[in-house]
Amino acid sequence: MLQIERLEKVLEFIDEKGTVNIPELIEAFDVSKPTVLRDLKELERQNLIIRVHGGAASKRRKGTNFEPKNRVKEKEAIAEKEEIAELAVNHITSGETILLDSGTTTLMLARKMLMLKNITVITNDIKIAMTLSDNENIDLVVIGGQKRNGVYSLIGPFAENILNQLNVDKVFLGADAVDFKLGLTNSNIEETNIKKTMIEVAKEKILLADSRKFNKAAFTKIASIDILDRIITDNKLSEADVKRFEEIGIIIETPKLKIEAKKAK
């Protein structure tokens, strides 16, 4: 790849993510650290990025309203999302009606669900629907609506009206940001409305979120933290955060805590 082509792709990558660190760029573009540093220096010289300690930030980031495209999200925290999905699938039992929120972590869960039988799955995510359609033992309900650009979620009043008529056993939620005081937040208002309705119709609310999303805020509020029954995340969530959530009655589940619980038995 020519340098000018790589610079264009690096700039697009930074703009879509908002901020990146050097290891991310090395992995994403399969280049050496000196090459990444030269690219960042050149982009900074052209006044296209802002250099920060250990990486770079986009000059076009839109603050709390910024949201990467799905093709970027799907490459982020893959191992952590895999672990979260492995834990989450164990909470689904035969005969249940499951609501899957749109997102890359819930998509990972959908892939883990392909071996399940005798469940009903409702989703507003096109990619999740396509994944689950390969399993004829799953009754699949797709909530229709308007597709958002760059992601696979279907939104709008039509989708909300259908959801309001349903009763489900569990919802597996996603969120752009999670904060103890500010609650669950999202970058898109219309998608937030869908998530609020999902919470209202589900008996059990389970959040799937990797640790990068904690102690941050996005544009619009979905709900307070205390509406959640369980949070499934990765091992990088701090012990202090785990304790704070547990103190208000939310079950925190991580691969490490799961192993420790088994040993205690």
Side-chain angles (χ1 to χ4, degrees):
M1 184 187 298
L2 297 174
Q3 185 189 25
I4 189 168
E5 294 175 337
R6 189 177 64 251
L7 286 173
E8 289 177 357
K9 292 183 179 297
V10 169
L11 179 60
E12 180 183 4
F13 186 76
I14 295 171
D15 282 342
E16 288 181 328
K17 293 198 66 176
T19 59
V20 298
N21 58 43
I22 290 171
E24 284 180 293
L25 291 168
I26 291 171
E27 181 180 358
F29 295 95
D30 192 25
V31 293
S32 65
K33 184 176 180 179
T35 298
V36 167
L37 292 174
R38 283 196 297 271
D39 287 349
L40 294 182
K41 185 177 181 179
E42 176 59 23
L43 291 172
E44 183 183 36
R45 186 189 69 78
Q46 296 181 37
N47 200 31
L48 296 172
I49 63 167
I50 302 168
R51 289 296 303 276
V52 297
H53 180 68
S58 170
K59 296 198 75 170
R60 293 179 281 189
R61 183 184 173 100
K62 299 177 182 177
T64 55
N65 201 32
F66 176 82
E67 180 183 20
K69 303 300 184 186
N70 256 52
R71 59 190 173 86
V72 174
K73 290 182 178 180
E74 287 178 2
K75 296 177 183 178
E76 297 176 333
I78 296 173
E80 289 82 359
K81 291 174 184 177
E82 179 90 16
E83 291 176 336
I84 291 168
E86 287 278 4
L87 293 174
V89 75
N90 293 321
H91 293 282
I92 302 172
T93 58
S94 178
E96 287 187 324
T97 299
I98 303 298
L99 183 50
L100 289 186
D101 190 7
S102 181
T104 54
T105 308
T106 45
L107 173 61
M108 194 77 76
L109 171 58
R111 291 168 180 158
K112 302 290 181 185
M113 294 169 63
L114 285 174
M115 75 291 291
L116 300 181
K117 297 180 180 179
N118 189 31
I119 59 170
T120 298
V121 179
I122 304 160
T123 187
N124 68 321
D125 188 294
I126 296 172
K127 202 161 188 176
I128 288 175
M130 289 297 294
T131 298
L132 292 175
S133 64
D134 291 334
N135 185 343
E136 295 181 357
N137 295 308
I138 292 177
D139 290 329
L140 179 63
V141 179
V142 183
I143 303 299
Q146 181 181 359
K147 179 186 174 295
R148 289 188 56 213
N149 291 333
V151 295
Y152 299 102
S153 62
L154 300 172
I155 58 173
F158 182 71
E160 292 166 36
N161 289 338
I162 293 176
L163 276 173
N164 270 316
Q165 300 175 50
L166 305 177
N167 293 298
V168 302
D169 295 300
K170 292 168 184 163
V171 59
F172 291 90
L173 287 163
D176 289 334
V178 186
D179 183 82
F180 190 80
K181 291 183 179 179
L182 299 175
L184 310 179
T185 53
N186 211 64
S187 301
N188 180 273
I189 292 175
E190 289 184 295
E191 192 167 87
T192 296
N193 291 335
I194 287 282
K195 292 175 186 288
K196 287 180 177 179
T197 308
M198 288 180 173
I199 289 168
E200 290 174 1
V201 302
K203 295 176 185 174
E204 184 176 352
K205 294 90 171 170
I206 302 173
L207 175 69
L208 308 184
D210 64 79
S211 56
R212 299 170 308 141
K213 296 184 176 182
F214 286 79
N215 301 310
K216 294 179 181 178
F219 180 54
T220 180
K221 185 173 181 177
I222 302 167
S224 300
I225 284 293
D226 57 10
I227 62 94
L228 295 172
D229 296 293
R230 184 183 300 267
I231 295 173
I232 303 179
T233 186
D234 58 66
N235 290 327
K236 297 176 184 176
L237 188 65
S238 72
E239 291 183 9
D241 283 333
V242 170
K243 185 177 180 180
R244 291 178 79 190
F245 290 122
E246 289 180 338
E247 283 176 348
I248 62 171
I250 299 173
I251 299 169
I252 303 292
E253 190 171 345
T254 70
K256 181 181 177 181
L257 291 173
K258 193 77 171 178
I259 292 170
E260 290 175 351
K262 287 182 178 179
K263 287 181 179 178
K265 292 180 180 179

